[in-house]
Amino acid sequence: AQSVTQPDIHITVSEGASLELRCNYSYGATPYLFWYVQSPGQGLQLLLKYFSGDTLVQGIKGFEAEFKRSQSSFNLRKPSVHWSDAAEYFCAVGASSSASKIIFGSGTRLSIRP
Amino acid sequence: DGGITQSPKYLFRKEGQNVTLSCEQNLNHDAMYWYRQDPGQGLRLIYYSQIVNDFQKGDIAEGYSVSREKKESFPLTVTSAQKNPTAFYLCASSSGNGGNQPQHFGDGTRLSIL
């Protein structure tokens, strides 16, 4: 079974600074990887996904993520954060089996310092 | 626009009362899911359905029940057996049946005890 870990519970960065949110997964085969964002009191919105191919994935809102098989990681990055990026970010992992489910990490809360 | 509609946005439950949370989607998705979200715990799967008239228990199904009589609808009932129902409930859907398709989320229902 797959699992996912987000080591950072809360991160604060200054507006305009770069951002990297960590995600580590455990799965025996090639995983399906996702990053979601959640604003307070709302549902989750898909930022990007990795299924196969190019290991650097571009998403919405200027985010990107890189799949590194050797490190079992799928870290989310943004070159310059905006105050509107303050939210909770969830990494998720799935598998190719039709009986499998998506497993979500516990989330990283991002605060932006003015 | 297609999407997932959850209602109500806020719900209050009295002791011994069953309450039902509504989830409707017009995305023509086969699979639907219910998650419970508590602070610091990410998303936990309650029930999921891969096809009409069929559903499976997730990780925390005790005290909850669902039905899937129509493709568009997947209501969740929080029964009096659920002793700690206060949480944020999220409904999701996907076009696939497993862990290889991104899920689309509603805006959630916040349930509290009176």
Side-chain angles (χ1 to χ4, degrees), chain B residues 23-109:
Chain B
C23 178
E24 303 277 335
Q25 55 100 357
N26 60 4
L27 299 166
N28 199 33
H29 284 170
D30 288 313
M32 297 187 73
Y33 311 82
W34 274 106
Y35 293 93
R36 171 178 171 142
Q37 187 176 27
D38 296 281
Q41 294 194 39
L43 278 67
R44 292 185 290 170
L45 184 63
I46 304 172
Y47 269 99
Y48 64 103
S49 168
Q50 297 178 327
I51 197 169
V52 174
N53 292 322
D54 187 46
F55 48 82
Q56 288 79 40
K57 293 182 178 180
D59 302 317
I60 56 165
E62 185 175 351
Y64 301 96
S65 65
V66 294
S67 63
R68 186 86 186 276
E69 298 176 0
K70 299 186 300 182
K71 186 175 185 177
E72 304 79 22
S73 179
F74 191 41
L76 173 74
T77 297
V78 184
T79 74
S80 57
Q82 172 51 245
K83 299 306 179 186
N84 183 23
T86 297
F88 190 53
Y89 291 87
L90 287 163
C91 179
S93 70
S94 69
S95 59
N97 291 333
N100 59 3
Q101 296 292 330
Q103 294 179 10
H104 301 256
F105 285 82
D107 283 338
T109 293

Side-chain angles (χ1 to χ4, degrees), chain A:
Chain A
Q2 64 269 36
S3 65
V4 60
T5 301
Q6 293 181 249
D8 304 305
I9 296 173
H10 183 206
I11 286 182
T12 300
V13 300
S14 297
E15 189 168 16
S18 63
L19 169 70
E20 183 168 23
L21 301 182
R22 297 185 291 165
C23 172
N24 295 102
Y25 70 90
S26 174
Y27 183 61
T30 299
Y32 293 77
L33 296 161
F34 311 88
W35 273 102
Y36 287 85
V37 61
Q38 183 183 32
S39 297
Q42 296 188 8
L44 277 67
Q45 180 184 21
L46 181 69
L47 284 175
L48 47 80
K49 60 189 179 189
Y50 171 79
F51 287 174
S52 64
D54 194 345
T55 56
L56 185 61
V57 180
Q58 301 297 321
I60 62 172
K61 302 177 186 276
F63 286 93
E64 65 178 26
E66 187 171 12
F67 171 60
K68 293 185 177 180
R69 185 188 300 275
S70 61
Q71 299 178 19
S72 297
S73 70
F74 189 56
N75 294 350
L76 182 71
R77 302 194 295 246
K78 188 171 185 178
S80 175
V81 298
H82 186 260
W83 64 266
S84 59
D85 293 324
E88 186 106 21
Y89 291 81
F90 292 92
C91 181
V93 60
S96 59
S97 166
S98 62
S100 67
K101 305 178 290 288
I102 291 179
I103 305 300
F104 289 85
S106 55
T108 296
R109 184 161 62 94
L110 175 64
S111 298
I112 306 296
R113 190 184 302 118

